[in-house]
């Protein structure tokens, strides 16, 4: 298949050109902060929605930054001389980053979008023209090999990924390379795979233009490009998780029936992880009539792995079909063809008895524990990104609770986690509240009901006293048998530790 519908890509064998381009982009403040300063918040936010008119209006001048925005973000032809004042234009033309158009103008061959790294790094994400922002806005390009830039799913996965230093990381389905780029900051060796060779090419461009080390790029589906004896400390994937009839668009449609691609990815990841290693995925899963969706996901978890699965959103099948039909731009085409495609989606769901589709995060951790922990929950509420450290801490708490029986918990010391507040709910004027709620303002931002004992216990946990001694004091205050209180309270302590309201003092 030839690239008749997609522009030829810049060469990947000229790192010197990428380095010179990077220097020129940075010199012109073509960065995330620079764009915000130039465009203003409304136009900057509009770009993230693939709306270009505000940015066009904000770049009618002739400064170097305005030139670069019109060239790389807005894909507007720019006079050769004007570009030459900002970039090494002849080298960029020779390397394929730019192409001549019209008489004396040049145009970009790829979208180049500034992206701020977690440590303040100035990175650049390369993608196909018109496809810089992933999501359900209609990408304007229907070629099956199109490579998208940064969308909400990409940034979500980057935010939840555990960022401890590791020897080896694997990015499955790398796309434009954003996950590989993040991993390059804390992994000695990064391997990136994709079924689409164009995506591997663009990942190489993203890494080079961002000044990041090159990755080991391999073509193939899922774990097929990985050798049988290879294991990793971190596996991440924003896979083509869309549950669709067929595999029309490589970047989103997995080509397997239903949610089989996500299930296969999760089930195969366990044997590819080193002890203590994490595998983290975004996924869609079916809600099938007569079946508990949580049980469905528990069945995916491979042996020897702890798991934390969070369902963030659920859509009925009509909402889901419309979302992805719009993503492909089908709503802007022939109405008869649109209706036929819509029917095909609903036929597929009906045949599989699917009533809704869930979306969320799946985190696995390889463990040697005799009884791995599998937590499947629904949490549609706002969270504070990045969550990588909160996710790592969740699994550390699992280890702690496994290693401490009830007697050990009562001997342990705990501290109330920072920024936890207590809320009392009840009728005005009532002597006692109907219930007490502990609420987090960081991380998952959980809220949990506690009884009077639980609230009193959490309130005095500053690490100075053992849990058992605190309970003895509470028993004396409320006139309860201290032995009975010690017997019934460890379960509540476990819950508060597991959910991150209390942290052990070790």
């Amino acid at each position: 298949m030839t690239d008749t519908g997609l522009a030829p890509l810049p060469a990947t064998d000229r790192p010197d050109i990428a380095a010179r381009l990077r220097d020129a982009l940075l010199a012109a403040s073509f960065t995330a902060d620079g764009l915000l300063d130039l465009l203003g918040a409304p136009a900057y936010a509009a770009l993230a929605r693939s709306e270009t008119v505000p940015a066009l209006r904000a770049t009618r001048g002739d400064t170097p930054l305005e030139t670069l925005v019109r060239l790389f973000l807005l894909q507007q032809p720019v006079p050769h001389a004007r570009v030459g004042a900002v970039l090494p234009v002849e080298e960029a033309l020779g390397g394929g980053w730019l192409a001549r158009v019209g008489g004396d103008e040049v145009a970009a061959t790829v979208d180049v979008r500034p992206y701020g790294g977690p440590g303040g790094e100035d990175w650049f994400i390369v993608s196909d023209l018109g496809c810089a922002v992933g999501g359900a806005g209609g990408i304007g390009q229907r070629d099956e090999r199109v490579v998208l830039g940064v969308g909400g799913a990409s940034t979500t996965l980057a935010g939840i990924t555990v960022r401890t230093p590791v020897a080896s990381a694997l990015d499955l389905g790398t796309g434009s390379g954003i996950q590989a780029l993040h991993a390059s900051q804390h992994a000695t060796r990064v391997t990136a795979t994709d079924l689409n060779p164009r995506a591997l090419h663009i990942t190489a461009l993203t890494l080079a233009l961002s000044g990041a080390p090159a990755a080991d790029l391999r073509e193939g589906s899922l774990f097929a490009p990985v050798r049988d004896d290879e294991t990793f400390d971190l596996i991440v994937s924003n896979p083509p998780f869309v549950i669709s009839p067929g595999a029309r668009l490589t970047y989103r449609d997995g080509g397997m029936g239903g949610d089989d691609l996500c299930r296969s990815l999760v089930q195969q990841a366990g044997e590819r992880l080193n002890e203590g290693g994490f595998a983290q995925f975004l996924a869609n899963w079916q809600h099938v009539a007569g079946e508990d969706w949580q049980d469905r996901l528990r069945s995916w978890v491979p042996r020897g792995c702890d798991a934390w699965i969070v369902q963030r959103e659920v859509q009925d099948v009509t909402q889901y079909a419309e979302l992805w039909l719009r993503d492909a731009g089908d709503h802007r085409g022939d109405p008869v063809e649109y209706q036929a495609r819509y029917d095909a989606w609903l036929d597929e769901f009906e045949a599989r008895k699917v009533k809704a589709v869930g979306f969320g995060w799946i985190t696995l951790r390889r463990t040697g524990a005799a009884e791995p922990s599998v937590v499947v929950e629904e949490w549609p509420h706002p969270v504070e990104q990045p969550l990588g450290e909160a996710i790592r801490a969740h699994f550390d708490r699992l280890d702690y609770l496994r290693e401490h029986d009830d007697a050990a918990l009562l001997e342990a010391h705990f501290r109330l986690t920072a920024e936890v507040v207590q809320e009392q709910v009840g009728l005005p004027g009532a002597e006692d509240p109907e219930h007490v709620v502990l609420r987090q303002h960081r991380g998952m931002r959980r809220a949990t009901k506690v009884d009077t004992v639980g609230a009193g216990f959490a309130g005095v946990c500053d690490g100075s006293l053992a849990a058992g001694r605190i309970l003895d004091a509470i028993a004396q205050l409320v006139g309860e048998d201290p032995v009975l209180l010690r017997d019934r309270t460890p379960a509540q302590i476990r819950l508060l530790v597991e959910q991150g309201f209390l942290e052990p003092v070790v």
Side-chain angles (χ1 to χ4, degrees):
M1 183 180 295
T2 60
D3 275 344
T4 56
L6 295 172
L9 294 173
T12 58
D13 59 354
R14 292 294 306 273
D16 56 320
I17 296 179
R20 288 200 62 193
L21 278 177
R22 173 177 171 78
D23 289 343
L25 297 177
L26 294 177
S29 297
F30 188 66
T31 63
D33 289 341
L35 286 186
L36 183 59
D37 289 341
L38 171 67
L39 302 178
Y44 188 77
L47 267 183
R49 302 190 299 269
S50 297
E51 295 290 350
T52 59
V53 172
L56 284 167
R57 292 173 60 85
T59 55
R60 289 176 288 193
D62 59 359
T63 66
L65 181 53
E66 288 171 295
T67 296
L68 294 176
V69 171
R70 292 184 75 87
L71 185 67
F72 285 117
L73 294 188
L74 304 178
Q75 279 95 57
Q76 299 294 306
V78 180
H80 182 284
R82 184 173 165 187
V83 175
V86 185
L87 298 177
V89 65
E90 294 303 325
E91 290 186 40
L93 285 165
W97 291 90
L98 302 176
R100 296 183 185 274
V101 294
D104 65 345
E105 293 183 319
V106 297
T109 58
V110 288
D111 186 293
V112 176
R113 188 149 302 224
Y115 177 80
E121 302 90 350
D122 289 314
W123 290 338
F124 300 97
I125 307 299
V126 179
S127 64
D128 274 313
L129 295 174
C131 303
V133 181
I139 60 173
Q141 173 58 261
R142 296 190 181 196
D143 192 291
E144 64 178 14
R145 296 150 302 143
V146 70
V147 179
L148 298 188
V150 179
S154 300
T155 54
T156 294
L157 179 59
I160 68 172
T161 300
V162 176
R163 297 295 175 194
T164 52
V166 294
S168 57
L170 173 64
D171 176 15
L172 283 179
T174 187
S176 59
I178 179 176
Q179 309 306 329
L181 181 58
H182 276 277
S184 71
Q185 302 303 292
H186 64 103
T188 304
R189 174 173 57 89
V190 177
T191 302
T193 72
D194 206 289
L195 181 64
N196 182 2
R198 189 175 181 90
L200 297 176
H201 192 126
I202 284 181
T203 290
L205 298 175
T206 289
L207 294 172
L209 198 59
S210 298
D216 179 3
L217 304 176
R218 305 182 193 177
E219 182 180 344
S221 177
L222 298 180
F223 289 99
V226 179
R227 296 191 307 271
D228 290 342
D229 61 345
E230 281 185 289
T231 54
F232 301 87
D233 302 307
L234 174 67
I235 300 172
V236 293
S237 184
N238 176 19
F241 52 64
V242 177
I243 300 171
S244 61
R248 187 158 60 109
L249 296 171
T250 303
Y251 75 87
R252 69 170 204 191
D253 300 323
M256 296 185 185
D259 52 15
D260 283 354
L261 183 136
C262 291
R263 176 186 56 79
S264 297
L265 180 62
V266 173
Q267 288 180 336
Q268 294 174 26
E271 62 186 7
R272 299 295 186 178
L273 282 175
N274 294 323
E275 185 72 19
F278 286 91
Q280 298 186 265
F281 315 109
L282 300 186
N284 279 185
W285 43 80
Q286 298 172 151
H287 285 229
V288 179
E291 178 180 292
D292 186 305
W293 68 271
Q294 293 181 319
D295 289 342
R296 181 182 190 85
L297 290 173
R298 288 188 185 95
S299 73
W300 291 9
V301 178
R303 290 172 179 260
C305 287
D306 291 323
W308 185 17
I309 302 173
V310 181
Q311 179 167 275
R312 294 287 291 156
E313 184 179 358
V314 181
Q315 291 185 321
D316 67 49
V317 293
T318 60
Q319 292 173 309
Y320 190 80
E322 290 162 15
L323 172 72
W324 296 108
L325 287 167
R326 287 181 175 274
D327 172 84
D330 292 327
H331 60 302
R332 295 195 298 261
D334 179 9
V336 175
E337 183 179 347
Y338 175 81
Q339 183 175 339
R341 290 191 186 280
Y342 201 149
D343 270 330
W345 284 71
L346 296 186
D347 285 344
E348 179 80 5
F349 287 134
E350 186 176 336
R352 295 180 177 276
K353 299 181 179 179
V354 177
K355 302 300 183 184
V357 177
F359 169 83
W361 319 323
I362 298 177
T363 300
L364 307 177
R365 185 190 61 167
R366 189 76 187 178
T367 179
E371 296 184 14
S373 167
V374 177
V375 177
V376 183
E377 63 175 321
E378 186 165 17
W379 190 254
H381 311 293
V383 298
E384 181 190 48
Q385 285 275 37
L387 271 171
E389 179 58 24
I391 290 175
R392 184 202 60 76
H394 167 87
F395 288 92
D396 286 349
R397 293 193 297 269
L398 289 182
D399 287 340
Y400 178 87
L401 291 172
R402 269 196 290 247
E403 294 165 0
H404 290 74
D405 59 16
D406 288 356
L409 279 185
L410 293 175
E411 293 298 321
H413 294 236
F414 299 95
R415 181 187 298 115
L416 190 66
T417 307
E419 297 195 40
V420 171
V421 298
Q422 177 178 302
E423 300 174 357
Q424 298 187 21
V425 181
L427 294 174
E431 184 175 347
D432 296 311
E434 292 181 21
H435 57 261
V436 179
V437 174
L438 298 180
R439 187 178 301 277
Q440 301 169 350
H441 285 275
R442 305 298 300 272
M444 290 292 287
R445 295 178 174 168
R446 293 187 184 278
T448 188
K449 290 182 182 180
V450 290
D451 60 18
T452 303
V453 172
F457 179 83
V460 298
C461 276
D462 60 3
S464 61
L465 294 175
R469 290 190 60 190
I470 294 174
L471 290 179
D472 290 343
I474 292 174
Q476 187 174 3
L477 285 173
V478 300
E480 188 169 339
D481 186 330
V483 175
L484 294 178
L485 193 62
R486 279 174 170 257
D487 284 345
R488 70 178 177 85
T489 306
Q492 192 168 187
I493 296 174
R494 285 186 181 279
L495 179 64
L496 292 175
V497 172
E498 179 184 333
Q499 295 190 343
F501 290 93
L502 295 177
E503 55 187 18
V505 177
V506 293

